[in-house]
Amino acid sequence: MTNSEIVDLLELTGRLMELHDRDAFKTRSFQTAAFNLDKSTADLANLPVEELVKLPGIGKSVAQKIREIAETGRLTDLDELLAQTPEGVLDMFRIKGLGVKKVRTLWHELGIDNLRDLQQAGENGEIAKIKGFGASTQEKILAALEFLQEQQGKVRMDKAALIANLLRDELTKHFDRVEISGQVRRKAQEVDTVQLLIQTSDPVSAMLTLSQLPNLTQNELDSSPFVWRGKLNGFDVLVELLLYPAEQIDRQLFIQTAGEPHLQQVGVGGVTLLQVAYASPDVTEPAIYERAGLPYIVPEMREDDFAFRWASRHQNDELVTWDDLRGTLHNHSTWSDGKQSIAAMAAYCRELGLTYFGIADHSKTATYAHGLSVEQIQVQQAEVDQLNQSFGTDFRIFKGIESDILGDGSLDYDDATLATFDYVVASVHQTLTMSLEKATTRLLRAIENPYTTILGHPTGRLLLAREGYPIDHRAIIDACAEHNVVIEINASPYRLDIDWRWIDYAIQQGVMLSINPDAHDLAGLLDMHYGVAIGRKGGLTKAMTFNTLTLEEMNEYLQQRRAQIGK
């Protein structure tokens, strides 16, 4: 059991105990344990009770529950609570804005125990009549339900890649060649079909082999003699396995990877790329593009005709790669809600071959994330100074902050405090329900602040969980160009914000983009891989990627920018 799996079970137990109005003290003990352990770097599954009780917020009773989870993968208390809770009530916890008390009220007062009845009650106006809800809450619930329905059957980029790689590893034991294709290969940020191509000269035998593989459940109605469709157990996303003979694999890898609008691009002689792919004797991907008289497009960009417009101005070797990255600038540590110290995060960056690490812990308004007070900032910066003394000239920690953008667009520190940082990432974290005008105005004021270096996750979205607040992207990007503000590509697979579709416009306006992992632990630093993928998808070049600047270039840039403030 991983730490996150243990924490999830403790958190769910505490939530269901509150839902069923169990002993308040015991309920709080589970909730407190889950909250504290979420930041822990200890190997919870392998700690005995006597070591677990030394951790903050962990009493002997909860420590014993952790041992039960670690040894059995289950928790008896939770199993009992789940048996008393309709599955639809658990689904209601996925609705943004519905806490335990509101879910309990809906369940007990209206008898709602599934999302279908919840939607019907909202449409009939019954939710608005409940004390403590009102028309506004009812509207938000209906909007959240609509969003969830649209996202059903999809997974994020990271989980899609995990599924695809698990399948490929298993399938290569039985087949000579297996290729990941479709949405996963072109790095879609949300995936509704995980597709792989299997080389076989005997589809009947191949289907029999697939039917015998563990953890695969076939949907026979949707399948055909040459296409296996179903699911990998434990994941709610369609799996599609296409069977082709050896001579067709390369051709189909190209066709199945590209989006339909991309394949319909017309080349020389008025023939589409798809037609050329079927007719070309040379089925390698570069050869297909060449035969069509079109520039070669990398797999990530094969969505529509945008890639061809991009290619009229750029070369593929201009696209940013992981190896181009020189540092990382949006990261958190144990000073706020991170799981690792600044020293540990910086050391891992050095292992990755990076030459600078920017610490940007949460600011004072983010109390839920242990945001830093002015006094804490002074101590943290002294720690950074001390750490920097231990490095040579080839590595440096930059002092940053993720400063909250308040409701009126101001940042949550005074100018004197902001002036102590090498750079400032300005982000919205609270009061996310805004009109387009309100959200845009709020961001514009933050961009105009001379201390704002980077605009963090511009829409605040959480993929498959929360829609971003609406903004006028052109106005925001234009303002960043005017005020020399970098825009973040938040590389967390939960965000990938700014959306890749706006990258090219930013580049054309001269706005640099920073691939920021928003890392809260060592593994989170690797999320920059997702940021690179989504950057390439949007046509991001090395030249317009902020954190491809060398250490010397970054240091000079930040110093010059600070010197310009107040001029």
Side-chain angles (χ1 to χ4, degrees):
M1 297 290 289
T2 65
N3 280 15
S4 61
E5 289 170 333
I6 292 172
V7 169
D8 285 346
L9 291 181
L10 292 174
E11 193 273 335
L12 181 57
T13 303
R15 183 181 293 182
L16 292 184
M17 289 176 73
E18 184 179 352
L19 178 71
H20 291 281
D21 205 19
R22 296 295 175 84
D23 181 84
F25 176 78
K26 291 182 179 179
T27 299
R28 280 196 300 275
S29 68
F30 276 94
Q31 293 170 338
T32 300
F35 180 81
N36 287 326
L37 293 178
D38 190 45
K39 289 184 62 177
S40 178
T41 57
D43 185 4
L44 301 179
N46 291 310
L47 289 182
V49 169
E50 52 268 27
E51 292 298 322
L52 287 167
V53 295
K54 296 178 182 178
L55 299 174
I58 307 301
K60 186 174 182 181
S61 176
V62 172
Q64 291 170 337
K65 303 296 183 185
I66 293 172
R67 290 307 316 146
E68 180 184 348
I69 293 171
E71 292 167 9
T72 69
R74 308 180 65 85
L75 184 58
T76 303
D77 292 17
L78 177 57
D79 289 342
E80 293 174 355
L81 289 163
L82 288 170
Q84 300 167 32
T85 310
E87 187 175 340
V89 172
L90 293 173
D91 289 338
M92 288 161 65
F93 285 121
R94 297 165 57 202
I95 304 296
K96 290 295 176 182
L98 279 188
V100 175
K101 292 179 181 178
K102 279 189 165 63
V103 170
R104 185 170 59 215
T105 298
L106 290 166
W107 183 20
H108 291 301
E109 292 194 17
L110 288 186
I112 295 172
D113 62 3
N114 60 75
L115 296 183
R116 185 187 66 253
D117 289 351
L118 179 65
Q119 182 170 356
Q120 187 174 358
E123 292 171 346
N124 293 338
E126 296 175 39
I127 294 174
K129 299 174 185 176
I130 304 174
K131 183 179 179 181
F133 282 74
S136 176
T137 298
Q138 179 175 271
E139 185 178 335
K140 290 175 184 176
I141 289 172
L142 288 172
L145 280 168
E146 182 180 357
F147 180 75
L148 282 178
Q149 288 166 0
E150 292 173 353
Q151 309 307 311
Q152 194 170 6
K154 296 180 181 178
V155 292
R156 297 183 312 272
M157 174 193 286
D158 58 327
K159 190 169 286 187
L162 169 67
I163 296 168
N165 286 316
L166 286 172
L167 288 168
R168 183 176 59 185
D169 290 347
E170 179 61 30
L171 292 170
T172 49
K173 299 175 185 176
H174 308 277
F175 300 98
D176 291 337
R177 184 179 176 190
V178 178
E179 297 285 354
I180 296 171
S181 58
Q183 298 169 0
V184 177
R185 187 172 180 232
R186 66 174 185 265
K187 307 298 183 184
Q189 58 200 18
E190 297 171 351
V191 172
D192 59 31
T193 304
V194 175
Q195 184 188 81
L196 292 90
L197 310 186
I198 296 174
Q199 178 180 310
T200 178
S201 58
D202 186 353
V204 174
S205 176
M207 280 291 187
L208 287 173
T209 299
L210 294 175
S211 68
Q212 295 169 6
L213 294 181
N215 299 320
L216 280 178
T217 302
Q218 184 179 15
N219 184 327
E220 295 184 9
L221 289 177
D222 287 344
S223 298
S224 73
F226 302 100
V227 182
W228 185 101
R229 291 190 178 95
K231 290 186 177 179
L232 178 65
N233 295 347
F235 298 97
D236 185 26
V237 65
L238 174 66
V239 170
E240 189 173 74
L241 307 176
L242 309 182
L243 309 179
Y244 291 107
E247 64 271 16
Q248 286 294 325
I249 282 284
D250 286 329
R251 188 192 315 275
Q252 289 299 327
L253 179 61
F254 169 74
I255 292 171
Q256 299 299 333
T257 292
E260 185 63 26
H262 188 81
L263 292 172
Q264 293 306 316
Q265 177 71 21
V266 176
V268 294
V271 180
T272 67
L273 192 55
L274 178 61
Q275 291 171 323
V276 172
Y278 275 117
S280 177
D282 186 343
V283 294
T284 61
E285 293 182 328
I288 291 172
Y289 282 105
E290 184 177 358
R291 188 176 178 86
L294 295 169
Y296 175 78
I297 304 298
V298 297
E300 299 95 316
M301 298 182 75
R302 297 176 193 168
E303 290 286 351
D304 48 32
D305 60 351
F306 155 71
F308 298 104
R309 298 194 302 275
W310 180 91
S312 69
R313 308 186 307 270
H314 299 283
Q315 300 293 322
N316 287 325
D317 59 9
E318 294 178 48
L319 288 169
V320 68
T321 68
W322 169 270
D323 291 338
D324 293 328
L325 303 182
R326 295 291 175 261
T328 171
L329 293 167
H330 181 175
N331 307 284
H332 300 271
S333 73
T334 49
W335 277 93
S336 63
D337 62 343
K339 295 183 178 181
Q340 304 286 345
S341 66
I342 295 175
M345 295 284 277
Y348 190 54
C349 281
R350 297 189 79 183
E351 286 183 34
L352 294 174
L354 301 176
T355 56
Y356 51 89
F357 169 77
I359 186 63
D361 273 311
H362 284 287
S363 58
K364 65 180 183 180
T365 303
T367 53
Y368 60 89
H370 310 292
L372 274 60
S373 67
V374 174
E375 292 75 21
Q376 288 176 306
I377 287 168
Q378 294 169 351
V379 180
Q380 186 193 68
Q381 292 182 348
E383 177 184 318
V384 171
D385 287 337
Q386 186 173 6
L387 286 168
N388 276 332
Q389 289 178 9
S390 66
F391 302 130
T393 57
D394 61 341
F395 190 86
R396 178 173 174 178
I397 301 172
F398 287 110
K399 303 171 190 172
I401 193 75
E402 186 179 20
S403 184
D404 266 32
I405 300 173
L406 303 179
D408 63 357
S410 61
L411 303 186
D412 63 343
Y413 291 116
D414 58 30
D415 287 355
T417 302
L418 293 171
T420 66
F421 297 106
D422 293 319
Y423 67 98
V424 173
V425 179
S427 307
V428 171
H429 288 110
Q430 301 180 63
T431 316
L432 303 180
T433 303
M434 296 179 283
S435 65
L436 184 145
E437 182 181 5
K438 169 65 178 174
T440 301
T441 301
R442 186 176 177 181
L443 292 188
L444 287 176
R445 185 176 177 197
I447 292 166
E448 291 165 1
N449 189 309
Y451 290 99
T452 298
T453 318
I454 302 172
L455 178 63
H457 44 74
T459 74
R461 73 181 183 186
L462 292 175
L463 293 171
L464 304 183
R466 182 178 73 208
E467 218 169 356
Y469 41 81
I471 62 172
D472 183 336
H473 280 83
R474 290 182 183 274
I476 295 301
I477 292 169
D478 291 348
C480 287
E482 180 183 353
H483 297 281
N484 193 28
V485 170
V486 177
I487 294 179
E488 170 177 274
I489 297 178
N490 190 292
S492 166
Y494 289 83
R495 291 189 183 272
L496 299 177
D497 183 16
I498 191 170
D499 190 90
W500 65 268
R501 295 166 183 84
W502 288 101
I503 290 173
D504 188 55
Y505 182 75
I507 290 174
Q508 291 186 51
Q509 301 310 114
V511 176
M512 297 191 80
L513 295 110
S514 186
I515 296 175
N516 292 343
D518 199 353
H520 288 68
D521 55 22
L522 302 185
L525 291 164
L526 299 175
D527 283 352
M528 287 195 293
H529 282 290
Y530 302 117
V532 168
I534 223 68
R536 288 170 63 86
K537 192 174 192 65
L540 180 60
T541 62
K542 174 184 176 180
M544 293 302 291
T545 305
F546 189 50
N547 52 319
T548 61
L549 294 180
T550 65
L551 173 58
E552 183 179 353
E553 291 169 338
M554 180 61 71
N555 189 46
E556 183 179 354
Y557 177 96
L558 295 177
Q559 285 186 355
Q560 287 183 354
R561 200 178 191 291
R562 290 177 66 193
Q564 291 170 356
I565 296 174
K567 285 187 178 180

